[in-house]
Amino acid sequence: MDWNALIRPGVGPMVPYVPGLRASEVCAESGKETIRKLSSNENPYGPFASALAGMRTVLPHLNRYPDGAVRTLKRGLAEKLAVEERHMVLGNGSNELLTLIAQAVLSEGDEVVFAWPSFVVYPICAQLMGAKSVKVPLTADQVHDLPAMLAAVTEKTKLVFLCNPNNPTGTIYARDAFEEFLQALPEHVLLVIDEAYFEYATSPEHVNGLDYFDGERPLVLLRTFSKIYSLAGARIGYGVMPEPLVKALDKVREPFNVNTVAQVGAYYSLADDAEVERRRSENQEQKAYLYSCFDRLGISYVPSETNFVYMQTEKPVEVFAALLAEGIIVRDFGTSPALRVGIGTPEDTNATVAALEAAVTRLGSL
Ligand SMILES: Cc1ncc(COP(=O)(O)O)c(C=O)c1O
Protein backbone atom coordinates (compact mmCIF):
# COMPACT_ATOMS: atom_id res chain seq x y z
CA MET A 1 0.00 0.00 0.00
CA ASP A 2 1.44 3.37 -1.02
CA TRP A 3 0.25 5.53 1.88
CA ASN A 4 2.12 8.55 0.53
CA ALA A 5 -0.02 8.42 -2.62
CA LEU A 6 -3.17 8.19 -0.53
CA ILE A 7 -2.54 10.85 2.11
CA ARG A 8 -2.84 14.44 0.90
CA PRO A 9 0.69 15.77 0.15
CA GLY A 10 0.17 18.78 2.45
CA VAL A 11 -0.43 16.51 5.45
CA GLY A 12 2.86 14.60 5.10
CA PRO A 13 5.18 17.31 6.51
CA MET A 14 2.77 18.33 9.30
CA VAL A 15 3.84 17.65 12.89
CA PRO A 16 1.13 16.72 15.39
CA TYR A 17 0.50 18.92 18.44
CA VAL A 18 2.46 17.49 21.37
CA PRO A 19 0.45 17.77 24.59
CA GLY A 20 2.13 18.18 27.99
CA LEU A 21 2.99 15.04 29.97
CA ARG A 22 0.06 13.33 31.67
CA ALA A 23 0.00 13.00 35.46
CA SER A 24 -0.34 9.19 35.28
CA GLU A 25 2.84 8.88 33.15
CA VAL A 26 4.83 11.05 35.54
CA CYS A 27 3.47 9.19 38.55
CA ALA A 28 4.71 5.88 37.12
CA GLU A 29 8.12 7.32 36.20
CA SER A 30 8.92 9.52 39.21
CA GLY A 31 7.40 7.28 41.86
CA LYS A 32 5.91 10.43 43.45
CA GLU A 33 2.39 10.05 44.77
CA THR A 34 1.40 13.67 44.29
CA ILE A 35 1.75 14.89 40.74
CA ARG A 36 1.33 18.62 40.11
CA LYS A 37 0.35 19.19 36.51
CA LEU A 38 1.22 22.79 35.76
CA SER A 39 1.85 22.31 32.04
CA SER A 40 -1.47 22.86 30.26
CA ASN A 41 -2.79 26.06 31.84
CA GLU A 42 -5.72 24.25 33.38
CA ASN A 43 -7.45 25.45 36.51
CA PRO A 44 -6.50 23.28 39.50
CA TYR A 45 -10.07 23.16 40.82
CA GLY A 46 -12.88 21.14 39.26
CA PRO A 47 -15.83 22.43 37.27
CA PHE A 48 -18.18 24.78 39.14
CA ALA A 49 -20.62 23.02 41.52
CA SER A 50 -23.59 24.25 39.48
CA ALA A 51 -21.98 22.88 36.29
CA LEU A 52 -21.33 19.47 37.85
CA ALA A 53 -24.91 19.22 39.09
CA GLY A 54 -26.26 20.22 35.67
CA MET A 55 -23.98 17.81 33.79
CA ARG A 56 -25.08 14.89 36.00
CA THR A 57 -28.72 15.44 35.06
CA VAL A 58 -28.07 14.89 31.34
CA LEU A 59 -26.07 11.66 31.58
CA PRO A 60 -29.13 9.36 31.31
CA HIS A 61 -30.16 11.21 28.14
CA LEU A 62 -26.93 10.76 26.18
CA ASN A 63 -28.68 8.34 23.82
CA ARG A 64 -29.91 11.53 22.09
CA TYR A 65 -27.80 13.80 19.88
CA PRO A 66 -26.92 17.21 21.29
CA ASP A 67 -28.66 20.40 20.20
CA GLY A 68 -26.65 21.14 17.05
CA ALA A 69 -27.56 24.82 17.25
CA VAL A 70 -26.60 25.08 20.97
CA ARG A 71 -29.65 27.30 21.56
CA THR A 72 -29.85 27.43 25.37
CA LEU A 73 -26.20 28.23 25.87
CA LYS A 74 -26.21 30.82 23.08
CA ARG A 75 -29.13 32.52 24.81
CA GLY A 76 -27.22 32.54 28.10
CA LEU A 77 -24.06 33.88 26.47
CA ALA A 78 -26.00 36.51 24.52
CA GLU A 79 -27.45 37.85 27.75
CA LYS A 80 -24.16 37.79 29.62
CA LEU A 81 -22.04 39.36 26.88
CA ALA A 82 -24.66 41.58 25.23
CA VAL A 83 -23.92 39.89 21.91
CA GLU A 84 -26.58 38.70 19.49
CA GLU A 85 -27.05 34.94 19.15
CA ARG A 86 -26.69 35.22 15.36
CA HIS A 87 -23.07 36.27 15.92
CA MET A 88 -22.06 33.15 17.86
CA VAL A 89 -20.54 29.80 17.00
CA LEU A 90 -19.80 27.16 19.62
CA GLY A 91 -16.91 24.75 19.18
CA ASN A 92 -15.43 21.55 20.57
CA GLY A 93 -12.99 23.77 22.45
CA SER A 94 -11.86 27.08 20.97
CA ASN A 95 -9.20 24.99 19.24
CA GLU A 96 -11.88 23.59 16.94
CA LEU A 97 -12.99 27.13 16.10
CA LEU A 98 -9.43 28.02 15.07
CA THR A 99 -9.42 25.05 12.69
CA LEU A 100 -12.91 25.80 11.35
CA ILE A 101 -11.98 29.41 10.64
CA ALA A 102 -8.87 28.24 8.80
CA GLN A 103 -10.97 25.76 6.79
CA ALA A 104 -13.55 28.39 5.93
CA VAL A 105 -11.12 31.16 5.01
CA LEU A 106 -7.75 29.86 3.83
CA SER A 107 -6.66 28.56 0.45
CA GLU A 108 -3.30 27.31 -0.77
CA GLY A 109 -0.73 30.11 -0.86
CA ASP A 110 -2.59 32.52 1.46
CA GLU A 111 -0.62 34.08 4.29
CA VAL A 112 -1.39 33.96 7.99
CA VAL A 113 0.32 36.47 10.28
CA PHE A 114 0.80 35.86 13.99
CA ALA A 115 3.29 36.64 16.73
CA TRP A 116 5.99 34.18 17.80
CA PRO A 117 6.21 32.57 20.25
CA SER A 118 2.47 32.25 20.54
CA PHE A 119 -0.12 29.46 20.56
CA VAL A 120 1.33 26.50 18.66
CA VAL A 121 -1.97 25.68 16.97
CA TYR A 122 -1.84 28.78 14.68
CA PRO A 123 0.89 27.38 12.39
CA ILE A 124 -0.86 23.99 12.39
CA CYS A 125 -4.08 25.64 11.12
CA ALA A 126 -2.17 27.46 8.38
CA GLN A 127 -0.28 24.37 7.30
CA LEU A 128 -3.45 22.27 7.24
CA MET A 129 -4.80 24.53 4.51
CA GLY A 130 -1.54 24.93 2.57
CA ALA A 131 -1.22 28.53 3.73
CA LYS A 132 2.04 30.20 4.70
CA SER A 133 2.75 31.08 8.34
CA VAL A 134 4.31 34.53 8.78
CA LYS A 135 5.74 34.58 12.30
CA VAL A 136 6.50 38.01 13.71
CA PRO A 137 8.83 37.90 16.74
CA LEU A 138 7.57 39.36 20.03
CA THR A 139 9.37 42.47 21.27
CA ALA A 140 12.24 42.16 23.78
CA ASP A 141 9.56 42.53 26.49
CA GLN A 142 7.78 39.47 25.04
CA VAL A 143 4.82 41.58 23.86
CA HIS A 144 3.11 41.49 20.44
CA ASP A 145 4.98 43.82 18.08
CA LEU A 146 1.85 45.22 16.45
CA PRO A 147 3.60 47.68 14.09
CA ALA A 148 5.84 44.86 12.83
CA MET A 149 2.79 42.61 12.42
CA LEU A 150 1.08 45.31 10.39
CA ALA A 151 4.18 45.65 8.23
CA ALA A 152 4.06 41.88 7.63
CA VAL A 153 0.55 42.08 6.16
CA THR A 154 0.50 41.79 2.34
CA GLU A 155 -2.17 41.39 -0.32
CA LYS A 156 -1.90 37.65 0.24
CA THR A 157 -2.68 37.91 3.98
CA LYS A 158 -6.06 36.41 4.78
CA LEU A 159 -5.84 35.95 8.53
CA VAL A 160 -4.11 37.59 11.47
CA PHE A 161 -4.16 35.86 14.85
CA LEU A 162 -3.66 37.91 18.01
CA CYS A 163 -3.40 36.00 21.26
CA ASN A 164 -4.33 38.32 24.11
CA PRO A 165 -3.08 37.59 26.70
CA ASN A 166 -0.42 35.67 24.85
CA ASN A 167 0.35 32.02 25.44
CA PRO A 168 3.16 31.22 26.42
CA THR A 169 4.38 34.63 27.66
CA GLY A 170 1.25 35.82 29.51
CA THR A 171 1.66 39.33 28.09
CA ILE A 172 -0.95 41.75 26.74
CA TYR A 173 -0.68 44.49 24.14
CA ALA A 174 -1.45 48.08 25.10
CA ARG A 175 -4.82 49.60 24.22
CA ASP A 176 -3.39 52.48 22.12
CA ALA A 177 -1.16 50.13 20.14
CA PHE A 178 -4.13 47.84 19.49
CA GLU A 179 -6.40 50.66 18.36
CA GLU A 180 -3.77 51.96 15.94
CA PHE A 181 -3.30 48.44 14.60
CA LEU A 182 -7.02 47.84 14.18
CA GLN A 183 -7.51 51.09 12.35
CA ALA A 184 -4.64 50.46 9.95
CA LEU A 185 -5.38 46.78 9.23
CA PRO A 186 -6.57 46.43 5.60
CA GLU A 187 -10.18 45.33 5.13
CA HIS A 188 -9.31 42.16 3.22
CA VAL A 189 -7.79 40.65 6.38
CA LEU A 190 -9.77 38.71 9.00
CA LEU A 191 -8.53 39.52 12.50
CA VAL A 192 -9.00 36.67 14.99
CA ILE A 193 -8.37 37.58 18.61
CA ASP A 194 -7.85 34.55 20.80
CA GLU A 195 -8.89 35.47 24.34
CA ALA A 196 -8.55 32.03 25.97
CA TYR A 197 -7.23 33.63 29.19
CA PHE A 198 -9.57 36.63 29.16
CA GLU A 199 -11.07 35.99 32.60
CA TYR A 200 -7.67 35.92 34.32
CA ALA A 201 -6.45 39.32 33.13
CA THR A 202 -6.68 42.19 35.61
CA SER A 203 -4.61 45.02 34.08
CA PRO A 204 -6.56 48.17 33.15
CA GLU A 205 -4.58 48.07 29.87
CA HIS A 206 -6.10 44.69 29.00
CA VAL A 207 -8.23 45.10 25.87
CA ASN A 208 -11.64 43.42 25.78
CA GLY A 209 -11.89 42.57 22.08
CA LEU A 210 -15.69 42.52 22.27
CA ASP A 211 -15.67 46.30 22.73
CA TYR A 212 -14.51 46.53 19.11
CA PHE A 213 -16.98 44.04 17.64
CA ASP A 214 -19.69 45.70 15.54
CA GLY A 215 -20.96 42.75 13.49
CA GLU A 216 -19.59 44.27 10.26
CA ARG A 217 -15.84 44.61 10.62
CA PRO A 218 -13.91 41.36 9.88
CA LEU A 219 -13.18 40.63 13.52
CA VAL A 220 -13.56 37.38 15.49
CA LEU A 221 -13.27 36.91 19.26
CA LEU A 222 -12.57 33.45 20.63
CA ARG A 223 -12.99 32.42 24.26
CA THR A 224 -13.12 29.12 26.08
CA PHE A 225 -14.63 27.31 29.05
CA SER A 226 -11.41 25.27 29.37
CA LYS A 227 -9.49 27.65 31.58
CA ILE A 228 -11.08 29.53 34.51
CA TYR A 229 -14.31 27.48 34.15
CA SER A 230 -12.40 24.16 34.38
CA LEU A 231 -14.19 22.40 31.54
CA ALA A 232 -11.06 21.54 29.51
CA GLY A 233 -11.99 17.85 29.45
CA ALA A 234 -15.55 18.56 28.30
CA ARG A 235 -14.31 20.60 25.27
CA ILE A 236 -16.26 23.78 24.70
CA GLY A 237 -15.36 27.27 23.48
CA TYR A 238 -17.15 30.03 21.62
CA GLY A 239 -16.56 32.54 18.89
CA VAL A 240 -18.21 35.89 18.23
CA MET A 241 -18.07 36.86 14.56
CA PRO A 242 -19.96 38.59 11.74
CA GLU A 243 -22.92 36.65 10.35
CA PRO A 244 -21.42 35.68 6.96
CA LEU A 245 -18.61 33.94 8.81
CA VAL A 246 -21.06 32.23 11.19
CA LYS A 247 -22.84 30.87 8.12
CA ALA A 248 -19.55 29.68 6.60
CA LEU A 249 -18.57 27.88 9.81
CA ASP A 250 -22.00 26.28 10.03
CA LYS A 251 -21.32 24.74 6.61
CA VAL A 252 -17.86 23.49 7.54
CA ARG A 253 -18.48 22.17 11.03
CA GLU A 254 -19.76 18.79 12.00
CA PRO A 255 -23.53 19.11 12.74
CA PHE A 256 -23.23 18.02 16.40
CA ASN A 257 -19.78 19.37 17.15
CA VAL A 258 -20.45 20.31 20.79
CA ASN A 259 -21.53 17.49 23.08
CA THR A 260 -24.49 17.74 25.44
CA VAL A 261 -22.48 17.46 28.67
CA ALA A 262 -20.26 20.37 27.61
CA GLN A 263 -23.22 22.53 26.57
CA VAL A 264 -24.95 22.03 29.91
CA GLY A 265 -21.76 22.46 31.95
CA ALA A 266 -20.98 25.73 30.20
CA TYR A 267 -24.54 27.02 30.57
CA TYR A 268 -24.62 26.38 34.33
CA SER A 269 -21.16 27.92 34.76
CA LEU A 270 -22.35 31.26 33.44
CA ALA A 271 -24.24 32.26 36.56
CA ASP A 272 -21.40 31.86 39.05
CA ASP A 273 -19.46 35.11 38.74
CA ALA A 274 -18.44 34.87 42.41
CA GLU A 275 -16.49 31.67 41.69
CA VAL A 276 -14.81 33.29 38.68
CA GLU A 277 -13.75 36.16 40.92
CA ARG A 278 -12.53 33.80 43.66
CA ARG A 279 -10.37 31.91 41.18
CA ARG A 280 -9.05 35.07 39.55
CA SER A 281 -8.03 36.59 42.88
CA GLU A 282 -6.43 33.40 44.21
CA ASN A 283 -4.51 33.19 40.91
CA GLN A 284 -3.32 36.78 41.45
CA GLU A 285 -2.14 35.98 45.00
CA GLN A 286 -0.28 32.87 43.87
CA LYS A 287 1.39 34.76 41.03
CA ALA A 288 2.51 37.55 43.37
CA TYR A 289 3.97 34.99 45.78
CA LEU A 290 5.72 33.13 42.95
CA TYR A 291 7.21 36.41 41.63
CA SER A 292 8.57 37.21 45.09
CA CYS A 293 10.23 33.78 45.24
CA PHE A 294 11.61 34.15 41.69
CA ASP A 295 13.08 37.52 42.76
CA ARG A 296 14.63 35.98 45.87
CA LEU A 297 16.12 33.11 43.83
CA GLY A 298 17.40 35.40 41.06
CA ILE A 299 15.11 33.85 38.45
CA SER A 300 13.97 36.05 35.53
CA TYR A 301 10.33 35.94 34.50
CA VAL A 302 7.78 37.85 32.46
CA PRO A 303 4.93 39.40 34.50
CA SER A 304 1.77 37.62 33.40
CA GLU A 305 -1.92 38.44 32.92
CA THR A 306 -2.80 34.73 32.90
CA ASN A 307 -2.65 31.59 35.03
CA PHE A 308 0.91 30.77 33.96
CA VAL A 309 4.29 32.48 34.15
CA TYR A 310 7.03 32.45 31.51
CA MET A 311 10.18 31.76 33.45
CA GLN A 312 13.44 32.55 31.72
CA THR A 313 16.32 30.17 32.29
CA GLU A 314 19.59 29.27 30.64
CA LYS A 315 19.16 25.70 31.94
CA PRO A 316 15.67 24.73 30.73
CA VAL A 317 16.46 21.03 30.30
CA GLU A 318 18.00 20.72 33.78
CA VAL A 319 15.30 22.75 35.52
CA PHE A 320 12.52 20.84 33.74
CA ALA A 321 14.08 17.55 34.88
CA ALA A 322 14.58 18.80 38.45
CA LEU A 323 10.91 19.78 38.71
CA LEU A 324 9.75 16.55 37.10
CA ALA A 325 11.74 14.50 39.61
CA GLU A 326 9.59 16.17 42.28
CA GLY A 327 6.41 15.28 40.38
CA ILE A 328 5.94 18.83 39.03
CA ILE A 329 5.13 19.05 35.32
CA VAL A 330 5.79 22.37 33.57
CA ARG A 331 5.89 23.15 29.86
CA ASP A 332 9.24 23.16 28.11
CA PHE A 333 10.12 24.46 24.66
CA GLY A 334 12.97 22.12 23.84
CA THR A 335 16.21 23.98 24.36
CA SER A 336 14.62 27.47 24.17
CA PRO A 337 15.68 29.34 27.30
CA ALA A 338 12.31 29.36 29.01
CA LEU A 339 9.75 27.22 30.84
CA ARG A 340 6.06 27.94 31.30
CA VAL A 341 4.99 27.36 34.88
CA GLY A 342 1.25 27.06 35.51
CA ILE A 343 -0.38 28.53 38.59
CA GLY A 344 -2.11 25.81 40.59
CA THR A 345 -3.25 25.63 44.21
CA PRO A 346 -1.24 27.29 47.02
CA GLU A 347 0.19 23.81 47.77
CA ASP A 348 1.31 23.51 44.14
CA THR A 349 3.05 26.89 44.37
CA ASN A 350 4.81 25.94 47.62
CA ALA A 351 6.01 22.67 46.10
CA THR A 352 7.25 24.47 42.97
CA VAL A 353 9.15 27.02 45.03
CA ALA A 354 10.73 24.28 47.19
CA ALA A 355 11.81 22.38 44.05
CA LEU A 356 13.28 25.54 42.51
CA GLU A 357 15.17 26.34 45.74
CA ALA A 358 16.69 22.84 45.64
CA ALA A 359 17.54 23.29 41.95
CA VAL A 360 19.34 26.58 42.67
CA THR A 361 21.34 24.90 45.44
CA ARG A 362 22.33 22.08 43.12
CA LEU A 363 22.74 23.85 39.76
CA GLY A 364 23.79 27.34 40.85
CA SER A 365 21.95 30.21 39.17
CA LEU A 366 19.18 29.04 36.89
C1 LIG B 1 -4.17 30.69 23.46
C2 LIG B 1 -5.02 29.47 23.42
N1 LIG B 1 -6.02 29.42 22.55
C3 LIG B 1 -6.82 28.35 22.47
C4 LIG B 1 -6.62 27.27 23.30
C5 LIG B 1 -7.49 26.08 23.11
O1 LIG B 1 -8.31 25.88 24.19
P1 LIG B 1 -9.58 24.95 24.11
O2 LIG B 1 -9.58 24.25 22.79
O3 LIG B 1 -9.44 24.01 25.25
O4 LIG B 1 -10.76 25.87 24.24
C6 LIG B 1 -5.58 27.27 24.22
C7 LIG B 1 -5.34 26.10 25.09
O5 LIG B 1 -4.36 25.96 25.75
C8 LIG B 1 -4.75 28.41 24.28
O6 LIG B 1 -3.73 28.48 25.13
Side-chain angles (χ1 to χ4, degrees):
M1 173 71 203
D2 183 358
W3 288 102
N4 287 334
L6 186 73
I7 292 167
R8 190 159 61 81
V11 175
M14 291 180 73
V15 179
Y17 175 87
V18 183
L21 293 170
R22 295 196 68 78
S24 51
E25 295 164 336
V26 176
C27 186
E29 267 181 41
S30 70
K32 293 274 169 198
E33 258 175 41
T34 307
I35 302 301
R36 303 179 190 277
K37 187 167 179 289
L38 305 177
S39 52
S40 299
N41 308 335
E42 298 147 332
N43 190 281
Y45 302 108
F48 292 6
S50 52
L52 279 176
M55 290 191 288
R56 282 194 194 103
T57 66
V58 297
L59 296 180
H61 309 293
L62 291 183
N63 53 319
R64 303 292 174 194
Y65 284 102
D67 173 9
V70 201
R71 276 165 275 237
T72 307
L73 176 59
K74 273 189 195 162
R75 213 176 306 133
L77 279 169
E79 212 169 288
K80 193 171 178 83
L81 304 172
V83 169
E84 291 180 60
E85 288 164 51
R86 67 191 172 98
H87 288 140
M88 280 179 210
V89 181
L90 275 292
N92 185 41
S94 55
N95 200 136
E96 188 198 25
L97 295 168
L98 289 166
T99 310
L100 290 174
I101 291 167
Q103 286 173 332
V105 167
L106 296 176
S107 303
E108 188 108 16
D110 288 340
E111 293 179 356
V112 183
V113 174
F114 50 88
W116 204 253
S118 191
F119 188 40
V120 289
V121 168
Y122 307 149
I124 296 177
C125 289
Q127 202 178 10
L128 176 68
M129 301 309 297
K132 182 180 160 203
S133 286
V134 180
K135 296 179 175 177
V136 180
L138 298 174
T139 65
D141 294 337
Q142 311 293 338
V143 174
H144 276 71
D145 189 342
L146 293 177
M149 291 183 75
L150 196 59
V153 169
T154 70
E155 280 183 1
K156 287 190 184 165
T157 308
K158 273 283 190 72
L159 263 180
V160 172
F161 288 119
L162 295 181
C163 188
N164 195 51
N166 189 44
N167 176 8
T169 55
T171 47
I172 55 169
Y173 41 70
R175 190 175 303 277
D176 286 354
F178 170 71
E179 288 183 351
E180 274 172 38
F181 175 84
L182 189 63
Q183 203 161 28
L185 193 66
E187 251 209 351
H188 70 274
V189 179
L190 177 66
L191 176 61
V192 177
I193 308 182
D194 182 346
E195 298 186 331
Y197 301 95
F198 177 83
E199 296 83 1
Y200 282 108
T202 57
S203 162
E205 271 297 303
H206 175 233
V207 173
N208 176 353
L210 265 185
D211 292 344
Y212 300 83
F213 180 78
D214 61 9
E216 300 293 329
R217 164 192 278 155
L219 173 66
V220 176
L221 288 316
L222 297 181
R223 294 191 191 160
T224 181
F225 286 93
S226 294
K227 304 301 176 183
I228 215 161
Y229 292 103
S230 287
L231 288 173
R235 310 302 300 128
I236 182 160
Y238 60 95
V240 176
M241 60 195 81
E243 223 174 347
L245 199 58
V246 172
K247 289 186 171 148
L249 263 63
D250 278 342
K251 291 177 196 169
V252 177
R253 72 178 173 87
E254 197 225 312
F256 304 108
N257 62 329
V258 183
N259 72 78
T260 306
V261 176
Q263 292 191 28
V264 170
Y267 177 75
Y268 282 105
S269 299
L270 288 179
D272 202 346
D273 284 339
E275 182 59 13
V276 172
E277 182 48 42
R278 192 196 72 73
R279 292 177 181 212
R280 179 168 40 233
S281 72
E282 184 180 292
N283 183 66
Q284 285 294 103
E285 281 165 27
Q286 292 309 301
K287 263 192 307 192
Y289 177 62
L290 193 60
Y291 294 164
S292 71
C293 296
F294 281 166
D295 290 338
R296 175 167 56 79
L297 295 171
I299 296 171
S300 308
Y301 60 92
V302 181
S304 162
E305 289 293 322
T306 62
N307 62 336
F308 52 84
V309 180
Y310 197 62
M311 162 185 164
Q312 290 155 314
T313 168
E314 292 306 318
K315 300 172 183 163
V317 176
E318 293 88 337
V319 177
F320 180 84
L323 291 169
L324 199 59
E326 295 303 320
I328 300 165
I329 317 173
V330 297
R331 187 70 159 168
D332 67 324
F333 307 96
T335 51
S336 296
L339 294 170
R340 194 187 63 199
V341 181
I343 301 294
T345 61
E347 294 74 33
D348 292 335
T349 310
N350 289 338
T352 305
V353 169
L356 287 171
E357 278 167 355
V360 169
T361 308
R362 199 159 54 79
L363 300 169
S365 75
L366 301 183

